[in-house]
Amino acid sequence: MSDMFTAIAKKVKEAYPTIIFPEGTDERIMEAAVRLKKEGILNPVLIGKHQVMEPKASDFGLDISDLEIIDPQDYPDYEELVEAFVERRKGKVTPEQAREILQNPNYFGTMLVYLNKAAGLVSGAIHSTGDTVRPALQIIKTKEGVKKTSGVFVMVKGDQRFIFGDCAINIAPDANDLAETAVEAAKTARVFDIDPKVAMLSFSTKGSAVSPETERVVEATRIAKEKAPELVLDGEFQFDAAFVPLVAEKKAPDSPLKGEANVFIFPSLEAGNIGYKIAQRLGEFEAIGPILQGLNKPVNDLSRGCNAEDVYKLALITAMQGMTE
């Protein structure tokens, strides 16, 4: 495990938070939960039925006897969750509908986080991003001043760490969306001990091309600076002008970034998704995420192609987010 995750695990262990895993029957989830519990880093709580999970764990060669397992049908405070859910949805659901909806493990688990019975939630090993994010948006909701959540990746290679966003959620962000993503990405960077230097990316550097697309990034830069004037943030930048000091010297000599950006905000989801995959596959960076940001409490989405190591690491990140909120 990289030094970064060793340091995160050490910090998380001191707080020993509870993290919810709605997909308790999945082998990868079980394996990661057993490891987290055995190492004493955090308290993993699996959602599912004992009678289903125990035989499966045995088949997987895993001992889950030390893990806390919650079955929504047997949960003693279920009506408390129902009442809180009805109140949170502000008349959009009846108590009868709430009882049915909360049988869904993602909704049930998200309510446990909302009611402070856990610090965060990790899902997505067998569910779509929508299935994971929808309950979070309806129940936990975004922070004050943030209209949309966004998804970033931490790109790690040796001692190098960068934040790429939005690479997961917003297809065609407007200027305000980009600004929100930038400010929240800077906060995410600090979770990983990255001193954020934020570049708003485009195919133009400081007016070298003018189009509605570049003007949107220019406006996003203005809004972001207004929202967080203390940030080292600038745009619009081509990637090389944001990352290579010699190029920055020629293209943007007056910029505070000076070619040392470590948080990169892409102008669209297609650009962000392509960008992180190029860095991952050609640059051999480890892509950790997507990490959801902008929510009142941390909920994170796994890839359905994840392995137990991915689950373990995202649980650590989720716990760390909860500690730094």
Side-chain angles (χ1 to χ4, degrees):
M1 190 163 65
S2 71
D3 289 346
M4 180 180 77
F5 278 101
T6 301
I8 290 174
K10 186 177 179 181
K11 290 178 184 176
V12 170
K13 195 171 187 176
E14 291 173 3
Y16 197 69
T18 293
I19 300 295
I20 303 294
F21 296 88
E23 301 161 323
T25 58
D26 186 88
E27 179 180 3
R28 298 161 293 177
I29 300 294
M30 288 187 191
E31 184 180 334
V34 167
R35 180 181 169 191
L36 289 161
K37 185 75 173 182
K38 185 178 179 182
E39 293 177 2
I41 294 172
L42 56 82
N43 177 40
V45 174
L46 307 187
I47 308 297
K49 296 181 181 296
H50 285 82
Q51 63 268 34
V52 173
M53 293 169 65
E54 283 165 6
K56 278 196 171 192
S58 181
D59 290 343
F60 300 147
L62 297 169
D63 178 6
I64 61 170
S65 58
D66 287 341
L67 299 182
E68 184 179 350
I69 298 169
I70 298 178
D71 180 353
Q73 291 187 343
D74 298 336
Y75 188 64
D77 297 325
Y78 195 76
E79 286 304 310
E80 178 193 346
L81 269 63
V82 169
E83 187 179 327
F85 183 66
V86 171
E87 182 184 345
R88 189 63 166 161
R89 297 296 289 137
K90 294 181 179 175
K92 292 180 181 176
V93 297
T94 65
E96 293 74 22
Q97 290 170 327
R99 287 187 191 96
E100 184 178 343
I101 290 168
L102 290 176
Q103 288 299 307
N104 177 305
N106 281 315
Y107 274 93
F108 180 82
T110 302
M111 279 303 299
L112 294 178
V113 176
Y114 171 64
L115 293 174
N116 295 318
K117 298 177 187 291
L121 177 146
V122 173
S123 189
I126 57 178
H127 290 93
S128 70
T129 294
D131 289 338
T132 300
V133 175
R134 195 176 302 111
L137 293 176
Q138 290 179 359
I139 298 166
I140 291 173
K141 302 188 179 181
T142 54
K143 298 173 185 173
E144 187 176 349
V146 178
K147 291 183 178 178
K148 294 180 181 178
T149 189
S150 52
V152 301
F153 281 83
V154 184
M155 309 300 293
V156 181
K157 183 180 180 181
D159 294 332
Q160 299 180 84
R161 302 176 197 174
F162 303 104
I163 303 290
F164 282 15
D166 178 353
C167 305
I169 304 293
N170 299 300
I171 295 172
D174 62 22
N176 195 65
D177 298 335
L178 289 173
E180 284 184 356
T181 299
V183 173
E184 292 302 313
K187 294 175 186 175
T188 301
R190 293 188 184 103
V191 172
F192 297 94
D193 291 327
I194 298 169
D195 182 19
K197 296 179 180 179
V198 185
M200 310 295 287
L201 297 180
S202 181
F203 59 83
S204 165
T205 299
K206 294 294 182 180
S208 62
V210 178
S211 74
E213 291 80 8
T214 63
E215 288 300 313
R216 178 167 50 90
V217 178
V218 171
E219 176 64 5
T221 302
R222 184 192 67 76
I223 296 168
K225 286 180 176 178
E226 208 171 74
K227 285 176 177 284
E230 77 287 353
L231 271 183
V232 177
L233 178 149
D234 205 3
E236 89 281 17
F237 275 104
Q238 292 161 289
F239 184 83
D240 57 353
F243 187 66
V244 182
L246 282 174
V247 178
E249 223 173 85
K250 293 176 182 176
K251 291 188 174 184
D254 298 328
S255 172
L257 290 181
K258 302 188 184 305
E260 296 176 348
N262 50 27
V263 177
F264 300 95
I265 306 304
F266 291 84
S268 68
L269 182 59
E270 61 184 351
N273 189 271
I274 292 166
Y276 100 79
K277 288 183 184 290
I278 288 174
Q280 181 186 33
R281 301 301 179 182
L282 292 184
E284 298 182 347
F285 276 79
E286 182 182 3
I288 300 157
I291 300 163
L292 302 186
Q293 53 182 28
L295 293 167
N296 279 307
K297 297 191 178 188
V299 169
N300 280 315
D301 177 42
L302 292 158
S303 161
R304 278 173 281 182
C306 69
N307 57 34
E309 182 72 11
D310 297 328
V311 179
Y312 177 90
K313 287 178 176 177
L314 195 58
L316 290 178
I317 290 168
T318 305
M320 192 68 181
Q321 280 181 298
M323 291 165 60
T324 54
E325 288 298 325

